[in-house]
Amino acid sequence: MADDERFDAIVVGAGPAGTAAAYTMAKAGLQVALLERGPQPGSKNVMGGILYNHYLEEIVGDAWKEAPLERPIIEERRWMMTPKAYIGFDYKNLRNREHPHSFSVLRARFDPWFAEQAEKAGAMVVPETVVERLIVRNGRVVGVGTGRGDDLHAEVVIVSEGIGLGAGLLEKTLINGKPLRRKLRRNEVAMAVKEIMQLDSGLIEERFNCESGEGCTIECFGDSTMGMSGFMFIYTNKDTLSVGGGALLSEFNATLRSPNDLMEHFKNHPSVKPLLRGAETVEYLAHLIPEGGYRGIPKVYGPGYLVCGDAAMLSNPVHREGSNLAMVSGKLAGETVIHAKETEDFSESRLREYKGKLDSSWIMADMKKYDKAVPLLEHNPQMLAKYPQILDGALDEFFRVDGTSKWEKQSKIFKMIRKEGGLKMAWDTVKAAWAMK
Amino acid sequence: MEKLTEKLFTVKYKEDTGRPHIEITDQAVCANDCKGKYCTHFCPAGVYEWNEEQKKTLVSSGNCIECGACSIGCPFDNIACHSPRGGFGAQYKFG
């Protein structure tokens, strides 16, 4: 790369957001560099992970069918856990066979494929390159300084570096004396851990009640996270399981628990342990997840730059969605730059078009809708600890055949719920339903 | 597999010898101000260890799996972490 080479756009980070942006722009003939700090795209990237093919198709078209995905999700299970029980809701939807909408995915396999699509479209993919700083000249981002010691210049820099490691580019960069993003708070991020556990594909299908090649998710609340606000999961891959979960970083600090303790607590729950028997851990991973809601979103555009994906705090933890918000935000950013190029106007007011596109999309509608969901659980820990236990106690009484008359049992259940603060529980449930609906 | 040390062995890691990417800004803060020794708990990879004799937080950057928690998790803003150089650090095979 010559020093005087100037790109239309430089994209920082080859995750779903950055790659979608690079793909969209390169396809339209723009000169795009996609920079990635890992030895190849995906080698630093982690998610649960369930990927929604609708959005992938929106970007790459029919090519999505060639993507290295694991299993289409046919069945969704949600378990509310107590130490000795779980109360479950299972939804097996056979329409998902004909029209799958979500797949389990392993990012170290998916991301290189996605970046390859961007490369085929004409983007220049540059791995092993850390972007250390944004270059600001006359109050405008004009390029990036890389760990290779060279500076690269562009009309627009798209920041899609994820949630960041240490102070991210947006925190480090000042324009008119102000950072482009404030430091994140401990209750705006979840600390998530995961293990990839190897298990024969036939055994996976038997244990999780799946047909050949099909998959299932189990997401667990309550005791699964030791009452912290978050959830744990098991996702079926081809011949591995993704087992993990997380909770707000603030709650790890408040309880002095460690992520690995949380992991072991979950793996040893009596209803999880048999599912994992004989599965060998072949990789251990951890990552932060943005959970700041709508209020936590930083300014997503400015002079010479746009922000996409996790770097823009775009995620919907209630519905475990993130990569789709990343991809679509990347696509919208890409379209904004294409439009700027067409009009030869890369001014901040032109780049504001990206904010308008985001605001009128489902992304911001969802971000607003679930804005209060995480704080609600954070401030009402009884919802994930005490209430499942009350329900568990009531169900134990209801189902146990032990010589007590049904009238007496119902009266016992009623008294128990009242004693435990049933009215407040009902009110809290209504509030939760409202926040999560 | 239960132990963190065993789990960390599963992660492919390319160490950038002599260039640690994490530093404690001021050990005196760890010794005098921090009662919780939070980093020794929240770090998923056991990078931080409090040494009572030396009165300092020992850092094993080679354990780091680059989750991003430390600089936010430390209530004293006392951990300086940045990305390892391009191509170095943790490299996931599955992701």
Side-chain angles (χ1 to χ4, degrees), chain A residues 37 39 43-46 106-109 128 130 164-166 183-186 191 193-196 249 253 256-260 263-264 267 281-288, chain B residues 1-4 7-8 10-11 21 36 38 41-45 65-69 71-75 77 81-95:
Chain A
R37 68 189 182 95
S43 56
K44 303 278 187 184
N45 301 351
V46 185
L106 294 168
R107 290 283 302 277
R109 294 176 182 172
E128 299 199 345
V130 178
L165 185 56
K183 192 175 160 71
L184 300 178
R185 303 186 184 107
R186 282 178 284 285
M191 173 75 252
V193 275
K194 180 169 87 161
E195 285 179 35
I196 304 294
L249 185 54
N253 271 9
L256 296 184
R257 288 189 177 118
S258 82
N260 191 47
M263 192 75 202
E264 287 305 311
K267 282 164 66 185
T281 300
V282 289
E283 191 156 73
Y284 174 75
L285 315 89
H287 215 277
L288 285 190
Chain B
M1 199 179 284
E2 293 169 36
K3 288 206 177 84
L4 182 60
K7 292 181 187 181
L8 290 171
T10 65
V11 184
H21 67 285
Y38 302 100
H41 300 283
F42 70 67
C43 173
I65 50 179
E66 299 169 38
C67 73
S71 53
I72 301 171
C74 174
D77 207 359
C81 170
H82 56 85
S83 176
R85 284 196 300 156
F88 289 93
Q91 300 176 10
Y92 289 126
K93 304 179 292 287
F94 295 91

Side-chain angles (χ1 to χ4, degrees), chain B residues 36-56:
Chain B
K37 309 293 182 237
Y38 302 100
C39 58
T40 66
H41 300 283
F42 70 67
C43 173
V47 168
Y48 306 95
E49 191 189 336
W50 174 250
N51 187 305
E52 187 56 40
E53 281 164 26
Q54 298 178 46
K55 296 279 177 207
K56 67 191 275 198

Side-chain angles (χ1 to χ4, degrees), chain A residues 118-384:
Chain A
E119 194 158 35
K120 279 185 196 161
M124 179 166 120
V125 181
V126 190
E128 299 199 345
T129 303
V130 178
V131 171
E132 293 181 339
R133 64 198 173 89
L134 299 179
I135 302 168
V136 177
R137 215 164 280 155
N138 302 324
R140 182 183 170 87
V141 174
V142 296
V144 301
T146 76
R148 294 171 179 267
D150 52 356
D151 290 351
L152 301 174
H153 294 93
E155 300 290 354
V156 182
V157 174
I158 292 185
V159 180
S160 47
E161 61 169 352
I163 201 153
L165 185 56
L169 287 173
L170 299 171
E171 283 165 48
K172 284 193 290 194
T173 308
L174 305 180
I175 291 184
N176 299 328
K178 281 188 194 155
L180 307 186
R181 185 180 86 184
R182 66 167 167 75
K183 192 175 160 71
L184 300 178
R185 303 186 184 107
R186 282 178 284 285
N187 62 357
E188 291 178 317
V189 292
M191 173 75 252
V193 275
K194 180 169 87 161
E195 285 179 35
I196 304 294
M197 300 182 75
Q198 201 151 43
L199 192 64
D200 173 75
S201 62
L203 264 179
I204 290 178
E205 283 148 12
E206 272 174 35
R207 282 187 196 176
F208 291 85
N209 190 26
C210 297
E211 291 296 331
S212 176
E214 295 182 350
C216 159
T217 71
I218 306 178
E219 286 171 8
C220 305
F221 302 84
D223 181 69
S224 66
T225 52
M226 301 159 129
M228 296 189 286
S229 49
F231 69 91
M232 302 300 287
F233 58 77
I234 304 174
Y235 299 142
T236 55
N237 304 317
K238 276 180 182 152
D239 53 6
T240 58
L241 302 172
S242 290
V243 183
L248 289 176
L249 185 54
S250 53
E251 296 189 350
F252 280 100
N253 271 9
T255 57
L256 296 184
R257 288 189 177 118
S258 82
N260 191 47
D261 292 346
L262 172 65
M263 192 75 202
E264 287 305 311
H265 175 78
F266 177 62
K267 282 164 66 185
N268 284 294
H269 188 279
S271 45
V272 170
K273 204 172 177 177
L275 295 172
L276 308 180
R277 189 168 291 133
E280 192 200 344
T281 300
V282 289
E283 191 156 73
Y284 174 75
L285 315 89
H287 215 277
L288 285 190
I289 297 169
E291 297 203 350
Y294 182 72
R295 287 154 302 149
I297 300 173
K299 193 173 173 227
V300 294
Y301 73 99
Y305 74 93
L306 299 171
V307 191
C308 305
D310 278 9
M313 299 291 280
L314 300 176
S315 85
N316 178 352
V318 174
H319 286 264
R320 56 137 200 251
E321 291 178 31
S323 60
N324 51 337
L325 285 80
M327 279 184 195
V328 174
S329 64
K331 177 173 175 267
L332 296 178
E335 288 169 357
T336 304
V337 178
I338 293 168
H339 196 200
K341 171 85 174 170
E342 281 166 0
T343 54
E344 292 195 12
D345 175 7
F346 291 95
S347 65
E348 184 180 2
S349 56
R350 171 61 73 194
L351 295 181
R352 193 183 339 164
E353 185 181 308
Y354 169 56
K355 170 88 165 59
K357 284 172 187 281
L358 271 184
D359 282 344
S360 57
S361 73
W362 60 272
I363 294 183
M364 287 307 194
D366 284 2
M367 290 301 297
K368 282 181 190 161
K369 189 170 191 297
Y370 297 102
D371 187 40
K372 293 202 169 63
V374 171
L376 181 82
L377 292 176
E378 185 192 359
H379 297 130
N380 296 279
Q382 68 276 13
M383 285 190 193
L384 291 170

